[in-house]
Amino acid sequence: MKARKIFYVFPGQGSQYRGMGSDLVREFESAREIYARASAVVGYDIAKLSFEDPDDKLATTRYTQPALLTHEVACLTALRDLAGGAGGAAVTAGHSLGEYSALVCAGALSFEGALALVAERGRLMSEHGRGSMLATTLELEPARELADKHYCGIGGCNLPEQTVIAGDTADLDALAEDLAKTHPGKRGIKLNAEGAFHTYLMIAAALKFRETLRNTEFRKIAVEVLSNYTGRPHIDDPDAIRSRLFFQLFHTVRWVACMNAAIDAGVDTIVELGGGIGKGDTPAEKRPNLESIVKKSLIWRQREAQYLPAINADGIRAAAEQLIKPA
């Protein structure tokens, strides 16, 4: 029987929603434990924030990041409980914030250690954040030329023809006008972000975050983790991991490179854990955030892999059943 080569992926900010995780705590003891541990770390009721969001804080970066990491790890823990040994990943990666969940998945960070990191990361990004982000259908080089012209930066390369540009709001507005004139067949969509993340405008936050990274314990990597900063596997050395997480804050998220590295590694099963998007109000109605990007990446490379969403209780059970089956 052929063993699966599984790639776990974790989405980033923007995939949070009110009600996130409420189904998990009803159905999985492990999820209830994760949420209790999370509240003890951050000092507030992260379950109430995630399930009810009574004060409309969930979309604020300092609260989004701990809540989303908690949801992702709760999904991961529940899936592992159901799938047992069949749920072991060969490769893992996360988009921006999701990289911290990937490091937890790989054993390089404890859940509590990762949560403390992202709570501080979110706080600093909120305090130092300014500007905004624009998702475009440009390839990297024309996007870079346009960004340079308008004092902006490349926040993310999600697909060969999907590049996120970020900068001060006035600069980005001028860039959007220029985009419409010079690339009439291309689109630009403003993202709901508190700042120009993953660009030079995050350097002040990164410099303060460096001290938090220095004081965080990192352990041996048990599963290959792909770095947003390099697009290649993390080096199994605590200082190397720290430096790449530091640089990640103000450098491009190289998701295309991460996907290519996983595809080149021969993954045949891709599992997305946590978050959700779409108009539905309940976890069961949400769609996976990275699904389209993942599937388009496979098509671009002319490769096939089974895709399994594990973002809610029903999806986790279905994914576990598939993982237990022979590949």
Side-chain angles (χ1 to χ4, degrees), residues 35-319:
Y35 275 87
R37 288 164 61 188
S39 295
V41 172
V42 299
Y44 54 84
D45 190 341
I46 206 162
K48 186 173 184 178
L49 168 72
S50 301
F51 307 163
E52 302 172 22
D53 191 20
D55 301 315
D56 292 322
K57 292 180 177 179
L58 190 57
T60 304
T61 299
R62 70 176 64 208
Y63 294 106
T64 300
Q65 297 195 11
L68 191 54
L69 180 129
T70 300
H71 187 238
E72 292 175 355
V73 174
C75 288
L76 172 67
T77 305
L79 180 64
R80 282 175 164 172
D81 285 350
L82 293 178
V91 187
T92 184
H95 193 284
S96 187
L97 165 74
E99 186 168 347
Y100 292 81
S101 298
L103 287 162
V104 173
C105 176
L109 272 173
S110 68
F111 170 56
E112 284 80 3
L115 193 59
L117 270 180
V118 302
E120 180 65 2
R121 180 181 186 266
R123 184 187 72 81
L124 290 168
M125 290 172 74
S126 280
E127 287 187 1
H128 295 274
R130 72 175 199 268
S132 48
M133 307 183 79
L134 186 77
T136 76
T137 54
L138 291 171
E139 293 181 355
L140 176 58
E141 286 313 310
R144 195 190 305 280
E145 289 179 9
L146 204 57
D148 289 349
K149 178 180 176 182
H150 293 279
Y151 297 89
C152 294
I154 302 299
C157 297
N158 293 333
L159 287 165
E161 292 184 344
Q162 187 185 114
T163 307
V164 178
I165 305 173
D168 271 321
T169 302
D171 291 333
L172 202 62
D173 287 345
L175 182 148
E177 291 183 13
D178 200 353
L179 171 66
K181 293 176 183 176
T182 57
H183 300 80
K186 299 296 182 178
R187 299 190 309 278
I189 300 173
K190 206 73 160 298
L191 300 181
N192 184 20
E194 281 191 78
F197 301 154
H198 303 292
T199 70
Y200 69 93
L201 293 175
M202 282 288 108
I203 289 177
L207 289 171
K208 291 183 179 296
F209 188 52
R210 182 177 174 180
E211 186 64 24
T212 306
L213 286 166
R214 184 183 293 117
N215 293 326
T216 300
E217 179 186 2
F218 287 84
R219 304 179 298 203
K220 184 174 179 60
I221 295 175
V223 173
E224 188 171 276
V225 186
L226 299 172
S227 161
N228 284 187
Y229 172 58
T230 66
R232 300 188 297 274
H234 270 286
I235 298 168
D236 192 9
D237 172 80
D239 286 333
I241 298 171
R242 290 184 183 102
S243 73
R244 280 149 183 77
L245 294 176
F246 166 77
F247 286 121
Q248 189 233 55
L249 263 179
F250 58 99
H251 283 82
T252 305
V253 172
R254 301 185 62 198
W255 191 250
V256 172
C258 288
M259 283 301 307
N260 283 337
I263 290 168
D264 289 340
V267 298
D268 55 33
T269 306
I270 302 174
V271 183
E272 180 171 347
L273 297 116
I277 57 174
K279 295 181 179 179
D281 293 327
T282 68
E285 296 174 285
K286 294 297 181 179
R287 297 179 287 105
N289 185 57
L290 295 174
E291 180 177 11
S292 176
I293 291 174
V294 166
K295 290 183 174 179
K296 286 178 180 178
S297 298
L298 290 167
I299 292 169
W300 191 271
R301 290 293 307 278
Q302 298 182 319
R303 300 289 182 87
E304 294 184 359
Q306 184 179 22
Y307 170 82
L308 301 173
I311 65 167
N312 51 42
D314 290 341
I316 289 166
R317 281 192 293 268

